[in-house]
Amino acid sequence: MSSLAVEEEGPLANNYGDVPLNELQSVDNPEAGKWSAAVYGKHWTEVGALIDSLKDQEVLIRGRVHTTRPVSGKLTFLVVRERGFTVQCVGTLNPDYISRQMVKYVASLNRESIVDIVGVVSVPGVAIKGATQQVEVQVRKLYCVNKAMPTLPINIEDAARSEAEIEKALKEGEQLVRVNQDTRLNYRVLDVRTPANQAIFRIQSQVGAIFRQFLLSEGFVEIHTPKLIAGSSEGGSAVFKLDYKGQSACLAQSPQLHKQMSICGDFGRVFEIGPVFRAENSFTHRHLCEFTGLDVEMEIKKHYSEVMDLVDRLFVAMFDTLNEKCKKELEAVAKQYPFEPLKYKPKTLRLTFEEGVQMLKDAGVEIDPLGDLSTEAERKLGQLVLEKYDTEFYILHRYPLAVRPFYTMPCHDNPIYSNSFDVFIRGEEIISGAQRVHVPEFLAERAQACGIDVATIATYIDSFRYGAPPHGGLGVGLERVVMLFCGLNNIRKTSLYPRDPLRLAP
């Protein structure tokens, strides 16, 4: 029990204090203590649901102490936060509910502590600037469920500040705290409490939900493939190797092999949402060593454009839904990280790789016409496409075969090119896709040509010896989609607990 609460005796002492552990051990007994008696049988109201229509009603809320503002020994203001929503609570000396000692106790609460409040909703005559909710809660009872330490490694107020606010303060001669990226990630559990981060990961949740729901509605089956495999799934050496009971193994770079095997297993259309591991030493704003892959594989009836048709409808539906359902979240992100809404068309623009190269050439950018696009070339092409077609979301297809994975089907009319595509948002790639090679002899030949030990993928190649339909698919990086849709500058902002070449914690 807090010393502040112990000093007082009498009926008002039951209206506040620290909740002892024994009451928090899921004891379903209203007589277990004063907190139990205060909350037992009551309905909990979320802070975000506190609105004008609840005027004069008693509510029970739980949240974090966002700020406290003692005015006098008779009055303290307290802003309580729950999942990004905030409400102003007022503790005023009252002979029936609140003693001077309780006002003092409320004023002493550490920021980020968890509190339960019983109070009555009131509607002030002026706008409340320091909270999201435009009502107040007149405190009747307040209990601290869990204390935060007095001094936090980072303050939420500092972590939530935009660059524009910091720069403005500097011009006015005031220096505000700037929380850098590493500090944020070191104390991620605090950092994700900011309004922008709460919004980012709720948007991310929606992206995954829309992806799943759309594909299920299109007759796809959700699958779960192994992340421990015997050999490389993408080619190259950037894999995390490990010992698997005496055998050499690695973490899957994608579910590529197994999602194709599932097509051979007659599922017809499959998708997966799961972790993907890449061991590259990529110290960039858009690469991670572990990310969440959104993967699709489907039978092709006639042409690989069927896969691009799916991408078109899926992502236009996704963007439409995000703009409709996540308005508040997008506003919260934009408040800290200003961005322009994504420009996209109801029918997604498609360009061939050759057309893209020509656009770059016309703009004075010389690149290898049979090589992959560099990051700079992708960005430049994104600018050119925006200027010419007024869209920041487009598909580039018929890539040179030499820059695609071994399982990519060459073009029928020119084997230098392939039936493959990439998809771009704001000049950065978010999707790679293609028609796959489904003829086993040709697949083995392609693997060898790309330097892959065929023995390590024998079960994969054998899958196609039992009869395989033409098929294609794509892979999407969840974190990259959210990063680019929200116009953010670093993928670590959209990875909850990022793993890059230097970070393995928290």
Side-chain angles (χ1 to χ4, degrees):
M1 188 66 66
S2 165
S3 59
L4 285 170
V6 170
E7 289 174 16
E8 182 172 2
E9 294 181 359
L12 296 187
N14 288 330
N15 291 349
Y16 68 101
D18 299 347
V19 183
L21 177 61
N22 69 296
E23 281 194 75
L24 297 168
Q25 291 177 298
S26 299
V27 179
D28 192 14
N29 180 1
E31 297 178 1
K34 57 188 182 182
W35 169 78
S36 296
V39 304
Y40 186 82
K42 282 190 169 68
H43 171 72
W44 295 85
T45 301
E46 292 189 357
V47 168
L50 294 171
I51 54 176
D52 293 15
S53 61
L54 295 177
K55 184 182 178 183
D56 298 330
Q57 291 186 33
E58 185 179 87
V59 293
L60 170 63
I61 63 172
R62 171 172 290 175
R64 293 188 180 277
V65 176
H66 189 61
T67 59
T68 56
R69 184 163 61 88
V71 176
S72 68
K74 298 179 180 180
L75 174 66
T76 290
F77 288 98
L78 173 78
V79 175
V80 171
R81 189 185 75 249
E82 184 186 33
R83 300 188 188 98
F85 295 99
T86 51
V87 65
Q88 183 163 275
C89 302
V90 186
T92 309
L93 188 68
N94 183 302
D96 297 320
Y97 305 105
I98 300 179
S99 63
R100 283 182 177 273
Q101 203 63 30
M102 182 172 170
V103 173
K104 189 177 178 183
Y105 173 80
V106 174
S108 74
L109 292 166
N110 297 335
R111 286 188 178 196
E112 298 304 298
S113 296
I114 307 288
V115 293
D116 288 348
I117 296 175
V118 177
V120 175
V121 177
S122 64
V123 181
V126 293
I128 301 172
K129 294 182 179 179
T132 63
Q133 307 310 108
Q134 293 304 298
V135 298
E136 288 182 332
V137 175
Q138 304 299 323
V139 177
R140 296 291 180 261
K141 299 178 181 181
L142 185 149
Y143 307 95
C144 184
V145 175
N146 189 262
K147 283 183 177 178
M149 58 196 296
T151 304
L152 298 169
I154 57 174
N155 289 321
I156 307 305
E157 188 179 6
D158 294 333
R161 197 172 283 128
S162 70
E163 280 297 313
E165 289 177 90
I166 295 171
E167 292 302 321
K168 183 183 176 185
L170 275 174
K171 288 178 182 177
E172 294 171 355
E174 183 186 358
Q175 192 158 0
L176 297 176
V177 173
R178 177 187 275 113
V179 184
N180 67 39
Q181 187 75 43
D182 277 342
T183 303
R184 289 178 182 277
L185 296 179
N186 289 340
Y187 301 102
R188 191 61 156 159
V189 72
L190 287 170
D191 184 45
V192 294
R193 295 178 190 176
T194 64
N197 280 333
Q198 284 287 304
I200 286 168
F201 292 104
R202 290 173 196 280
I203 292 167
Q204 187 179 95
S205 176
Q206 278 292 320
V207 170
I210 297 162
F211 182 82
R212 174 178 282 112
Q213 290 161 8
F214 182 93
L215 293 174
L216 289 173
S217 74
E218 293 275 330
F220 280 76
V221 177
E222 184 170 11
I223 60 171
H224 305 282
T225 61
K227 305 308 164 203
L228 291 167
I229 62 174
S232 169
S233 51
E234 291 288 329
S237 59
V239 294
F240 288 105
K241 296 179 181 178
L242 58 116
D243 175 75
Y244 187 76
K245 301 292 184 182
Q247 299 179 62
S248 177
C250 62
L251 295 175
Q253 294 165 296
S254 85
Q256 184 61 44
L257 312 187
H258 290 92
K259 68 178 181 176
Q260 282 189 260
M261 289 166 69
S262 299
I263 296 299
C264 295
D266 277 355
F267 285 105
R269 303 181 134 201
V270 299
F271 75 93
E272 178 171 16
I273 301 175
V276 174
F277 302 92
R278 302 283 169 90
E280 295 132 336
N281 283 323
S282 298
F283 298 92
T284 76
H285 75 285
R286 64 177 189 167
H287 287 94
L288 292 169
C289 290
E290 179 184 353
F291 62 90
T292 303
L294 309 176
D295 274 86
V296 171
E297 204 70 23
M298 59 185 276
E299 284 189 21
I300 291 173
K301 297 301 183 187
K302 204 173 177 188
H303 198 281
Y304 80 98
S305 61
E306 294 162 31
V307 186
M308 292 190 285
D309 292 341
L310 180 85
V311 169
D312 178 2
R313 290 183 293 109
L314 167 58
F315 278 85
V316 169
M318 182 182 291
F319 300 152
D320 285 347
T321 305
L322 291 174
N323 284 328
E324 179 189 343
K325 289 190 174 181
C326 297
K327 288 178 182 176
K328 286 186 178 179
E329 287 82 0
L330 292 167
E331 286 171 8
V333 176
K335 188 174 181 182
Q336 183 168 2
Y337 306 111
F339 71 97
E340 291 296 321
L342 180 71
K343 288 187 176 181
Y344 61 98
K345 293 185 175 296
K347 181 70 177 173
T348 303
L349 171 71
R350 293 181 201 180
L351 299 170
T352 66
F353 186 84
E354 289 175 281
E355 287 172 329
V357 168
Q358 189 60 50
M359 285 180 70
L360 287 166
K361 189 175 179 180
D362 292 344
V365 181
E366 288 295 334
I367 60 168
D368 180 356
L370 296 179
D372 208 352
L373 295 181
S374 66
T375 301
E376 293 74 21
E378 288 178 351
R379 282 202 190 120
K380 181 62 179 177
L381 183 57
Q383 290 174 6
L384 297 172
V385 168
L386 177 60
E387 290 166 10
K388 185 173 181 179
Y389 299 102
D390 195 35
T391 182
E392 295 174 291
F393 178 71
Y394 72 98
I395 299 171
L396 194 67
H397 67 111
R398 278 179 64 101
Y399 267 72
L401 182 65
V403 301
R404 306 304 280 199
F406 74 94
Y407 46 75
T408 307
M409 183 70 80
C411 285
H412 72 97
D413 58 339
N414 188 345
I416 289 175
Y417 293 99
S418 62
N419 292 347
S420 65
F421 62 90
D422 279 358
V423 183
F424 296 87
I425 295 180
R426 302 187 198 268
E428 296 198 40
E429 179 240 315
I430 59 154
I431 300 173
S432 282
Q435 179 180 359
R436 322 302 189 185
V437 175
H438 64 284
V439 178
E441 295 79 14
F442 187 34
L443 190 58
E445 181 185 316
R446 288 285 306 132
Q448 285 178 323
C450 291
I452 294 172
D453 182 357
V454 176
T456 65
I457 56 169
T459 54
Y460 165 64
I461 294 176
D462 285 345
S463 300
F464 301 97
R465 301 191 193 281
Y466 317 133
H471 61 280
L474 58 114
V476 189
L478 173 62
E479 293 85 354
R480 203 176 282 188
V481 171
V482 178
M483 174 183 80
L484 293 169
F485 184 78
C486 294
L488 297 167
N489 63 0
N490 197 305
I491 200 165
R492 289 155 189 81
K493 285 185 169 71
T494 57
S495 176
L496 194 55
Y497 302 105
R499 296 291 177 259
D500 61 30
L502 296 176
R503 182 170 290 279
L504 198 56

